[in-house]
Amino acid sequence: MSHITIYSRTHCPLCDKAKAVILELKEEWNFTLEEIDIETSDELTEQYGLMIPVVHIDGEEAAFGLVNKFVIRNRLHEKSLSK
């Protein structure tokens, strides 16, 4: 089972859209989901501040900014083949 992490912040429309895309995929794929608010950490804010939302799958960056459902689906498929 894969693990998806979304790095986001509050009041971020792109983050809301990315989360909606991920939740749609949850109906097709079995994965755990974690959302991390980058504003809780200066280090995360510095690392991802201009890129959010950032989506990691199993610790690897899969997408950022405008998150595309098909890109995430393809990455999940690739991950499932490599396990």
Side-chain angles (χ1 to χ4, degrees):
M1 177 187 323
S2 291
H3 179 78
I4 294 183
T5 306
I6 302 175
Y7 294 91
S8 63
R9 65 168 41 120
T10 55
H11 309 297
C12 168
L14 279 178
C15 300
D16 294 339
K17 288 179 183 178
K19 189 172 179 182
V21 163
I22 300 299
L23 290 174
E24 283 180 36
L25 288 169
K26 190 122 176 79
E27 296 173 12
E28 301 173 38
W29 294 89
N30 188 19
F31 58 82
T32 58
L33 177 61
E34 175 183 22
E35 186 172 7
I36 298 176
D37 184 345
I38 66 167
E39 292 179 340
T40 62
S41 162
D42 290 340
E43 182 180 321
L44 289 175
T45 299
E46 185 175 323
Q47 185 174 1
Y48 297 123
L50 298 176
M51 297 172 61
I52 62 158
V54 178
V55 177
H56 283 204
I57 301 175
D58 296 333
E60 295 178 13
E61 187 177 300
F64 66 91
L66 189 55
V67 175
N68 183 297
K69 181 178 181 178
F70 301 105
V71 170
I72 301 300
R73 181 186 284 133
N74 287 340
R75 293 295 293 270
L76 286 167
H77 181 71
E78 290 169 9
K79 291 283 186 181
S80 70
L81 294 176
S82 67
K83 290 186 176 185

